[in-house]
Each structure stands twice: as structure tokens, then as C-alpha cells.
Amino acid sequence: MGLLSGLKDSLQRVTDSLFSEDEQKRIGIYGPPNAGKTTLANRIARDWTGDAIGPESHIPHETRRARRKENVEIERNGKSVSIDIVDTPGVTTKVNYEEFLDYEMEKDDAVRRSREATEGVAEAMHWLREDVDGVIYVLDSTEDPFTQVNTMLIGIIESRDLPVLIFANKIDLDDASTQRIRNAFPQHETVPLSALEGNNMDEVYDKIAEYFG
Amino acid sequence: MPEAKASDNDGVQIDLISAERMDGLASMEKIRMILDGVRDGKIVILEDGLSPDEESKLIEVTMTEISPDEFNGIEIETYPRSSTSDSGILGRIMGREETSKLTVIGPANQIETLHKDETVISALVSRK
């Protein structure tokens, strides 16, 4: 009897672990280059774990490898939500090393950066198809959101039925427009914020807990 | 009928590819056909666009082929905008994705989108 009951308990534990609703979700931070994805990832990681994820820069394609921060516990309204944050390289359909020469980079460094950037974009697309359970899509709210890359990526995310939140970043800047982003993607919730200044982070964490908890 | 060849020196070749032609191809064959054309300096116009999954693979394969001073990637525009979210639950359950969208793809160093809205894509195409 003891053996049977022990076997039953073991099976129950295996079943629970396979179908647990509490399984850690991987949330990918996506968006075009220079939207502030790493600044946001660092803000979230610092607020809840004390560590950063990666270096930030105004030069495009600073993030050229997907970086994961595990077990980020976000507490909201007495409940705790645990997620993995995946900061991904900015997605584009073109990379020209000559763009980096404008940032006082030597040609060799610019060529290396462009090669790493292309590998990073391919890696980000692979993560999106295979390895994320939800998406935070970050846009620079001073820029036109009606770009083909944004349209394609949102289409890809929708086709995979992934939960998605759109973050309108950089609202601390004068020419920011959250409404323009809401108009571009009315089918999704848009949350305004400044990851750099930490503006509206309470709503950001409320929404993360609501969508990905 | 012999296939027309682009001249080496002048003009820009535009390939308008019918939905019927694309229907018979596997995803990677479509991507290969598009990128081979674009890398030859052609502008490729698809009567019926790619599925979201194929678009994702197109970006990925494009990235692996970018090479300094040779190929900088692609410009791509679709009209109307992708509408997977409107394709209806039955269609999605049956695995039918809404891909009916005119798509223009060209080399990033030769094509520049001047204007785009719900009804018009206006592009400037330069010679190599």
C-alpha cells in the first residue's frame, strides 16, 4: 500500500511539474534598434534583482547577443510574479557598417560590429520563433511607429498567439507621442514610460504582472 | 519564351511574381528566389505576400547573407498592412493565414521608401 501510494505521489509530482501554471515564463523584449530595450531590461532587473543585464548606448546595435536574466520576481498587490527577461538585439532588415563610421569608429571595428549585429538579429528572430512565451515590444515614442519592421514583427508575434504588451518608451522627450503608437497598433495595450527616467514604472509592472503572471 | 535578362549597365529589373507561382514553392524556395533576385539588384514584387513565419525566416536569412561592401540587406514594404489578427478564428484554426498583401522587396542600397500609407507605396529606386 505504502509503495503504491508513494508511486502515486511521484506520478502526481511529475504531472504537476509538466503542467504547472507557475512555470517560469520567458518574456522577450523586442523592438527596433535604439528603442531603449536594454535600458528597460536594466531598469526592470535593477528594480527587482539589483543587477543590470547589459551595457546601454546611443549607438545602434549595442546589444548584439540575446541576454537572459532569470527569476525576476515582480511583486504586485501582495502577489509575486516570477519571469525570465530576455533582452534581444534590435530587429532590422538591413545593416550597413558605414553607419557606425559616423560614431567615430574605425572601419575594422565598424565591420565587426555590423557582422555581430546581423548575427544578433538572426538570433533574436530565432528566439521569437522558438523560445519566448510573451513579448514586450518597445518603441521610441518620438519616432514614426508605422514602419515595415514593426508591422512585420507584430504580425509574427500575433501569428504565434504570444501575449504582447507595447511599451511607448522615451516619454520624457519633448516630441514623444504615445497616441501615435496607440493609433498604429490599436489591437494591443500600449503603456507609456521612460525607462531612462523611471517614469510610469508602477503601471509597467502592473501590466507585466497582469499579462505574463 | 526566352526569359529577359537585365542589362549589366543600365536600368533596374522589376520582377512581378504571381500568387500562382509562389503557391507551388516551399518557404525556403520562396525566400531563396526573393534573395537571389534582390542580390542581383532586382526589385521583386509579390502579388501575394509571405506568411508571418516566412517573413521571420526572410529576416533571418537576409541577416546571414549581409556582407560589407557587397550586400547591406533589404528594404521591404507591404500593402495593405499585415492583417493576421483579423483573419478570423476559423481560418486560424484551419491553419489558413491571411497573407494577401502586395509586397515590394529590393536591395537596401538601391530602394528607398518615400511614402507609404494604406493605399500607396511610393519608392525611389536607384541604379547600382
Side-chain angles (χ1 to χ4, degrees), chain B residues 7-25:
Chain B
S7 157
D8 285 342
N9 299 320
D10 54 354
V12 174
Q13 183 172 334
I14 299 174
D15 287 356
L16 294 97
I17 301 172
S18 70
E20 189 184 0
R21 171 77 182 267
M22 294 292 271
D23 269 351
L25 300 178

Side-chain angles (χ1 to χ4, degrees), chain B residues 77-81 113 115-122:
Chain B
E77 291 289 353
T78 61
Y79 144 84
R81 294 197 179 93
T113 304
H115 170 80
K116 181 190 170 190
D117 63 26
E118 293 286 354
T119 53
V120 176
I121 297 171
S122 180

Side-chain angles (χ1 to χ4, degrees), chain A residues 12 32 37 74 76 106 182 193:
Chain A
Q12 187 65 51
K37 295 177 293 300
I74 297 175
R76 302 319 280 170
E106 295 294 323
R182 286 200 176 102
L193 78 151

Side-chain angles (χ1 to χ4, degrees), chain A residues 91-98 107 111 114-115 117-119 121-123 125-126 128-129 146-149 151-156 158-161 187-188, chain B residues 51-53 55-64 66 68-69 71-79 81-86 92 97 101 108 111 116 118:
Chain A
V91 174
T92 180
T93 59
K94 57 188 176 184
V95 178
N96 184 354
Y97 77 88
E98 289 174 351
K107 185 179 175 185
V111 167
S114 75
R115 191 183 310 115
T118 59
E119 290 167 3
V121 176
E123 191 180 315
M125 297 313 296
H126 197 81
L128 185 57
R129 284 206 307 274
F146 289 100
T147 68
Q148 188 61 30
V149 164
T151 308
M152 280 198 297
L153 275 177
I154 293 291
I156 293 163
E158 287 170 349
S159 74
R160 309 199 76 77
D161 282 330
Q187 70 274 38
H188 297 294
Chain B
S51 71
D53 206 50
E55 288 179 338
S56 155
K57 285 175 185 151
L58 176 65
I59 295 174
E60 193 172 335
V61 177
T62 298
M63 287 297 123
T64 64
I66 288 177
D69 296 322
F71 178 56
N72 293 338
I74 59 171
E75 283 287 355
I76 175 168
E77 291 289 353
T78 61
Y79 144 84
R81 294 197 179 93
S82 177
S83 57
T84 47
S85 58
D86 303 329
R92 298 182 75 176
E97 286 170 324
K101 53 189 179 185
I111 186 167
K116 181 190 170 190
E118 293 286 354

Side-chain angles (χ1 to χ4, degrees), chain A residues 96-190:
Chain A
N96 184 354
Y97 77 88
E98 289 174 351
E99 280 177 39
F100 303 128
L101 299 177
D102 297 339
Y103 296 92
E104 295 178 355
M105 218 176 270
E106 295 294 323
K107 185 179 175 185
D108 285 354
D109 291 335
V111 167
R112 188 182 316 114
R113 191 182 182 93
S114 75
R115 191 183 310 115
E116 290 172 357
T118 59
E119 290 167 3
V121 176
E123 191 180 315
M125 297 313 296
H126 197 81
W127 272 84
L128 185 57
R129 284 206 307 274
E130 308 284 339
D131 294 318
V132 295
D133 305 304
V135 173
I136 290 171
Y137 199 79
V138 182
L139 289 166
D140 178 341
S141 55
T142 69
E143 299 281 336
D144 179 9
F146 289 100
T147 68
Q148 188 61 30
V149 164
N150 291 337
T151 308
M152 280 198 297
L153 275 177
I154 293 291
I156 293 163
I157 293 161
E158 287 170 349
S159 74
R160 309 199 76 77
D161 282 330
L162 294 170
V164 57
L165 270 174
I166 295 182
F167 283 1
N169 194 22
K170 307 192 186 183
I171 56 165
D172 54 304
L173 300 179
D174 286 342
D175 44 355
S177 169
T178 307
Q179 193 54 47
R180 192 165 45 181
I181 293 175
R182 286 200 176 102
N183 293 345
F185 304 105
Q187 70 274 38
H188 297 294
E189 175 116 26
T190 297

